[in-house]
Amino acid sequence: MPSHLPRSFSKPFLKVFHILEAILLLAITLATVVAMVNEFIHVFVNRNIQLTDILLMFIYLEILAMVQQFVAHGKIPVRYPLYIAIMAIARYITLGMKELDGAFIIWLSLAAFILAAATVLIRIGHHYWPYEEPEEPGKKQADD
């Protein structure tokens, strides 16, 4: 649905918005890289790598993948935040395994399972009902 705002307002607003978006994407990328470097330093200094460290690195990797997808395609697939949530739950369970109540661990595991099932359903849905790409202006369709 097109905007009803005057072009004299919307064009500069969108330009400022795109600049802010680029700055925030850069900040997210730099913060993620710094966090990854800190994690590698932590592992190197302690000379010990644990499962929680690996899961945290996967979370950082998924954040970078989300930024890459947004820069490349202008949108983030819903499954990327779902992957991050699954990894965060797995890391939380792994970190607090000794202190967590058994029922709480089961609830967290159920939450991770629901997120994984949602990811599968989204993938199946995209396979059977893919998004229609908007037609680019000036391009003719093959059927013409």
Side-chain angles (χ1 to χ4, degrees):
M1 187 164 158
S3 172
H4 297 293
L5 296 171
R7 274 184 82 61
S8 61
F9 172 77
S10 61
K11 197 168 184 177
F13 178 79
L14 287 175
K15 192 173 205 174
V16 169
F17 186 78
H18 288 299
I19 291 169
L20 284 173
E21 187 176 70
I23 291 169
L24 287 173
L25 285 170
L26 184 62
I28 290 168
T29 302
L30 291 175
T32 305
V33 169
V34 167
M36 286 179 81
V37 169
N38 284 340
E39 183 63 23
F40 277 112
I41 290 171
H42 168 75
V43 166
F44 183 74
V45 167
N46 291 342
R47 296 179 188 258
N48 182 21
I49 188 161
Q50 298 179 346
L51 179 60
T52 56
D53 300 321
I54 294 169
L55 292 173
L56 186 59
M57 289 181 207
F58 269 113
I59 290 172
Y60 295 145
L61 185 64
E62 288 299 327
I63 291 170
L64 290 176
M66 273 185 6
V67 171
Q68 183 269 333
Q69 284 290 318
F70 189 78
V71 170
H73 303 290
K75 55 188 169 191
I76 299 172
V78 174
R79 66 182 188 272
Y80 282 93
L82 293 177
Y83 295 153
I84 292 171
I86 293 168
M87 285 294 165
I89 290 172
R91 186 172 186 274
Y92 185 75
I93 291 172
T94 307
L95 272 175
M97 184 66 82
K98 294 176 185 169
E99 296 86 26
L100 293 176
D101 180 32
F104 191 61
I105 292 175
I106 290 173
W107 283 112
L108 288 170
S109 302
L110 182 63
F113 177 77
I114 289 169
L115 290 170
T119 304
V120 170
L121 287 174
I122 289 169
R123 297 289 290 188
I124 290 170
H126 284 190
H127 177 73
Y128 287 106
W129 302 284
Y131 291 128
E132 292 183 19
E133 293 293 324
E135 188 177 325
E136 292 182 32
K139 272 195 167 181
K140 290 186 178 180
Q141 290 199 357
D143 295 338
D144 289 344

